[in-house]
Amino acid sequence: MGTEDRIIRCNQCGTRNRVPAAKLADKPICGKCRVPLPSAATGPVVVTDATFNEQITRFPGPVMLDCWAPWCGPCQQMAPVLNQLAAAYAGVVKIAKLNVDQNPQVSSQFNVLSVPTLLFFNGGRLVNTVPGAAPKQEMERHLNTLAGGN
């Protein structure tokens, strides 16, 4: 693998695709399912009660799910950081958001009692929970642990 190559995990099927840096701007597609691969412009994936199983439980790779609410000040402060992390970890770790006010089923299932709460999954299985607003460095530490576990 060249030093400029990047491994990008498909958000649809989980296949790891090697993409040369020169081709990143060409909107590469997954070699297996032919779906466009996530790019640096991709923000967090919006997850709902209806899409949770498809987006999180059935996803074979690592996921950080931000459980948030629109009225929560710390949640709003974390939003730009999550956008940055979604771009930085595109194709490595799926970054997702769940509005707890609109999606009580998932919130209840994982006992989310306060917002923000970060839920970390790997292979569809919950591996860690971080309640409260987390600084970027702490989120990156958890993301690097998840990404290294693959």
Side-chain angles (χ1 to χ4, degrees), residues 89-104:
Y89 286 85
V92 179
V93 177
K94 181 188 284 190
I95 309 292
K97 295 180 66 98
L98 175 88
N99 181 331
V100 298
D101 288 345
Q102 296 175 348
N103 301 284

Side-chain angles (χ1 to χ4, degrees), residues 10 23 25 58 68 72 82 88 94 107 109 114 124 129 146 148:
C10 176
K23 300 286 186 183
R58 293 187 191 130
W68 71 285
C72 168
L82 291 168
K94 181 188 284 190
S107 305
Q109 178 181 351
S114 63
T129 301
L146 273 179

Side-chain angles (χ1 to χ4, degrees), residues 73-87:
C75 297
Q76 300 303 323
Q77 291 174 340
M78 283 178 48
V81 174
L82 291 168
N83 289 336
Q84 292 171 5
L85 293 173

Side-chain angles (χ1 to χ4, degrees), residues 17-18 23 37-38 66 80 85 105 110 120 130 137 139:
N17 295 268
R18 180 177 298 148
K23 300 286 186 183
L37 293 172
D66 172 35
L85 293 173
Q105 186 178 15
F110 292 97
F120 295 89
V130 177
Q137 295 80 6
M139 286 188 257

